[in-house]
Amino acid sequence: MSNLQALENTQTKTGAQELIEALLVNGVDTIFGIPGESFLAHLEAMREQEKALTFYVNRHEGGAAFMAEAYSKLTGKPGVLFVSRFPGATNASIGLGVAHEDSSPLVLFVGQVDQAVAGRESFQEIDYTGFFGGIAKRVFVINDVSRVGEIVTAAFQLAVSGRKGPVVVVLPHDIQLEAVGKYQLRSYKHVFNAPSHHDLTALTSMLTKSARPLLLLGGVGWNKLAQSQIVKFAEDNALPVVNASRRNDVFPNDHQNYAGVATVNMNPAVANLIVESDLIIALGCRLDEMTTGRYTLIKAPIPAQKLVHIYPGSAELGNVYQADLLINADVCEMTESLYGFNNLYELPLLEERRARVLAANLKYKEFLHYENNSLELNLAKVIEHMQAVLPQDTIVANGAGNNAQWLDRFYQYRVPGTKLTSFCGSMGYGVPAAIAAKLVYPDRSVISWNGDGCFQMNMNELIVAAARRLQIIFLIVENGTYGTIRQHQEKNYPCHKFGTDIENPDFVQLAAAYNCFGVRVNSTEAFAEAFAAARAYEGPAIIALKVQPEILSPTERVSSACKMN
């Protein structure tokens, strides 16, 4: 009789059963992962709770981790991921890296060898504290079965507190099978950081004196209420608004106060707007390298502009920028405090601000225009058509690469939580993230935008969508090259192409193999019909957008880069 059978016969609860019950208490109903022998007891405990829990079985731990991370962005709850030891854990690390960079709450449960043989480099044994130490907020190792519930709740609490992020919980095999007595379990609780009266008074004083203020928005935690509150604040105080890199959906792009996004290859007018401001109110964003133009538009550590930095993680405040005012506050708490704030500015000052807002918005609209009749397939026109026919709450997931520049420049996001991407630019994100989006919001339109290299890094997760007939449209910018790397190659080693070409499968045949709709589009004119057919199909659809490798981005060409050098 096995240890597990003996425990069942005496009707005692195992450590694994206790852990799954703790997940339920903490509001978990969705788990991603790949089964492994190192946590078989947890799989059995999940089976016993299958009416309350759904375990989505992935094809690679990297794809599973991306789905769990995207789930956390979409729901605001920690994504939950189960993987087996060493190979499973190391494969999943890419998703933890994204969760760290994106400040997404995520809890990874990973199997471990028995404690009796630990420390001997046993089969698939790894030191998780050392391995995940740089990207996880903490690595918990459960070495006492009586503390299972305590540690699970502590992991969730840490994941959602301050600057949100990933936490790892290590599950030694023997602890999973040990008996544990019943005791009360409690869920984690959100702790909110709010601005103080002193913070708001100081901000009021600085804003009152500013002739050229700028509102720079980013980070996580935005919802429709927070967006509506910050919209009113921008309107009432005549503030031009710039969204931080890869946070295009925070402020509605069709609003009259919107000036654009600060990101790679940003509109020069946005860069000028940032530099010329006398006050920058940065809410929710860390002020990263991409947003700040490698720390040149806002110079570190002491900017030329007055700077108010508002962020939920106190450790980030003052870490890079020694701002004039530091406020430790969550996005929603801050927007609620700002809502209705309308100082009595002198009329000349207010008129100057309003004129600046109108000028910035006009330059943003000019940047949306892109006439290039020489392109057989114009991706700007493709996005324009998508924009015209898709609902405003459509979720657009994208991976990394130059292909994403077309979205950043031409797609207008209006609703928070509709841009789903990896802040650190990790390839392979667009496919699993879109699948997670459709699982969370089955009634909303979901688009996955990918480069051909990016798509192939996790295209095996298509089966998760195909098996459930999820209506997701996967767009593939098919140019047969790693475009971003080719761009940098041309800049640094002009005309020395090497290692950046890729061979692709026939994506239409691939779609058929996965029981998906598939079509290749070679011209701008053909896109509308293909897109309509994909939207009508009752299941996943793949549209391969065939473009030339010559087209590196909306503004850069291989031949031009070669000639310039």
Side-chain angles (χ1 to χ4, degrees):
M1 183 180 294
S2 69
N3 290 335
L4 183 57
Q5 288 173 330
L7 291 169
E8 288 176 341
N9 287 344
T10 55
Q11 295 185 344
T12 56
K13 186 165 52 174
T14 66
Q17 290 170 320
E18 176 77 354
L19 189 140
I20 298 304
E21 286 188 21
L23 292 183
L24 293 172
V25 168
N26 280 279
V28 175
D29 56 17
T30 301
I31 299 172
F32 300 93
I34 290 183
E37 71 273 22
S38 65
F39 65 94
L40 284 176
H42 289 94
L43 288 174
E44 173 63 14
M46 288 182 206
R47 184 195 64 79
E48 294 170 351
Q49 301 284 358
E50 61 183 338
K51 290 184 179 179
L53 282 172
T54 300
F55 180 43
Y56 291 104
V57 181
N58 296 94
R59 298 304 179 267
H60 189 274
E61 289 87 357
F66 282 153
M67 283 195 195
E69 191 276 341
Y71 174 92
S72 75
K73 280 193 177 91
L74 293 159
T75 64
K77 302 193 300 183
V80 177
L81 175 67
F82 271 76
V83 300
S84 195
R85 54 191 182 231
F86 193 2
T90 54
N91 281 345
S93 63
I94 187 171
L96 265 75
V98 169
H100 168 71
E101 288 284 326
D102 285 44
S103 303
S104 301
L106 186 149
V107 182
L108 167 66
F109 294 94
V110 57
Q112 181 60 298
V113 300
D114 289 337
Q115 294 181 96
V117 297
R120 296 175 174 173
E121 199 175 332
S122 298
F123 180 64
Q124 294 186 342
E125 181 185 6
I126 187 173
D127 174 11
Y128 295 114
T129 302
F131 184 77
F132 288 114
I135 55 176
K137 296 184 75 173
R138 183 172 173 183
V139 178
F140 290 93
V141 180
I142 301 180
N143 50 30
D144 182 346
V145 72
S146 69
R147 297 186 61 194
V148 168
E150 170 197 338
I151 289 174
V152 169
T153 296
F156 278 81
Q157 188 68 59
L158 182 59
V160 302
S161 299
R163 178 185 173 184
K164 299 174 176 61
V167 177
V168 178
V169 179
V170 180
L171 311 169
H173 184 258
D174 51 315
I175 294 295
Q176 302 173 34
L177 304 177
E178 285 187 17
V180 59
K182 291 186 178 181
Y183 58 90
Q184 188 177 16
L185 300 173
R186 282 187 174 177
S187 174
Y188 71 95
K189 296 175 176 61
H190 283 282
V191 178
F192 299 103
N193 297 318
S196 68
H197 176 72
H198 173 269
D199 293 333
L200 296 173
T201 301
L203 175 58
T204 300
S205 176
M206 295 174 70
L207 186 56
T208 301
K209 299 172 184 176
S210 172
R212 301 181 307 280
L214 174 69
L215 193 54
L216 181 57
L217 305 177
V220 298
W222 291 89
N223 55 37
K224 289 183 179 180
L225 176 59
Q227 187 186 73
S228 67
Q229 290 170 336
I230 205 66
V231 164
K232 189 173 190 307
F233 176 69
E235 290 173 344
D236 290 347
N237 295 278
L239 303 174
V241 179
V242 171
N243 286 336
S245 180
R246 293 182 169 88
R247 306 299 192 191
N248 307 53
D249 58 345
V250 171
F251 194 88
N253 299 177
D254 59 347
H255 192 275
Q256 62 185 8
N257 286 61
Y258 186 62
V261 59
T263 190
V264 61
N265 284 350
M266 72 180 77
N267 184 352
V270 171
N272 291 335
L273 188 69
I274 294 172
V275 170
E276 293 171 358
S277 296
D278 61 7
L279 171 65
I280 296 175
I281 303 172
L283 171 55
C285 49
R286 287 192 302 112
L287 296 175
D288 61 281
E289 176 190 358
M290 293 296 183
T291 300
T292 62
R294 289 184 61 84
Y295 310 103
T296 60
L297 306 179
I298 306 174
K299 293 183 179 179
I302 302 176
Q305 311 92 329
K306 293 284 185 182
L307 176 62
V308 178
H309 195 185
I310 308 161
Y311 196 76
S314 59
E316 302 300 320
L317 293 171
N319 183 42
V320 176
Y321 286 102
Q322 297 167 15
D324 297 89
L325 177 60
L326 302 172
I327 302 178
N328 184 205
D330 292 286
V331 161
C332 293
E333 296 295 316
M334 194 68 202
T335 58
E336 184 175 346
S337 297
L338 294 174
Y339 181 68
F341 174 86
N342 184 12
N343 210 339
L344 297 175
Y345 304 102
E346 295 181 8
L347 187 60
L349 183 64
L350 190 59
E351 289 302 318
E352 181 181 347
R353 285 195 192 181
R354 286 172 176 164
R356 189 165 177 261
V357 166
L358 290 174
N361 183 248
L362 180 61
K363 289 176 181 177
Y364 162 69
K365 290 177 179 176
E366 290 173 351
F367 199 58
L368 288 176
H369 293 299
Y370 185 81
E371 295 297 334
N372 193 327
N373 296 324
S374 64
L375 298 179
E376 187 174 356
L377 178 54
N378 187 333
L379 294 180
K381 295 294 184 184
V382 165
I383 292 171
E384 182 181 316
H385 177 78
M386 287 168 48
Q387 189 87 62
V389 300
L390 290 171
Q392 288 192 6
D393 66 350
T394 296
I395 299 170
V396 181
N398 69 271
N402 274 10
N403 64 87
Q405 289 186 32
W406 298 89
L407 278 178
D408 279 344
R409 177 168 172 179
F410 299 111
Y411 193 87
Q412 290 190 293
Y413 299 86
R414 297 171 173 86
V415 179
T418 53
K419 182 175 178 63
L420 194 55
T421 191
S422 143
F423 188 76
C424 68
S426 179
M427 293 182 70
Y429 187 84
V431 172
I435 295 171
K438 196 66 176 179
L439 293 173
V440 173
Y441 295 111
D443 296 328
R444 289 171 64 176
S445 296
V446 176
I447 303 294
S448 177
W449 180 280
N450 313 268
D452 43 11
C454 189
F455 177 81
Q456 291 178 79
M457 287 196 175
N458 271 314
M459 67 182 183
N460 49 355
E461 301 298 345
L462 277 174
I463 197 64
V464 179
R468 293 164 179 79
R469 310 310 298 156
L470 302 181
Q471 289 184 286
I472 305 169
I473 300 177
F474 297 91
L475 296 163
I476 306 170
V477 179
E478 184 182 2
N479 63 0
T481 186
Y482 289 120
T484 302
I485 312 307
R486 179 70 188 279
Q487 176 184 334
H488 290 296
Q489 192 173 57
E490 290 294 342
K491 289 180 177 179
N492 292 278
Y493 304 97
C495 307
H496 287 188
K497 180 182 69 171
F498 184 81
T500 49
D501 285 348
I502 57 175
E503 295 181 2
N504 291 323
D506 184 323
F507 290 117
V508 177
Q509 290 190 30
L510 180 77
Y514 278 100
N515 195 21
C516 301
F517 173 86
V519 64
R520 177 173 284 102
V521 172
N522 298 301
S523 68
T524 306
E525 294 72 23
F527 178 73
E529 182 179 351
F531 196 63
R535 293 186 71 201
Y537 185 70
E538 295 184 358
I542 291 176
I543 302 178
L545 303 170
K546 186 67 176 176
V547 298
Q548 298 303 314
E550 159 75 7
I551 305 167
L552 292 173
S553 74
T555 57
E556 297 183 77
R557 305 290 182 267
V558 169
S559 55
S560 300
C562 205
K563 287 177 183 177
M564 288 175 62
N565 292 279

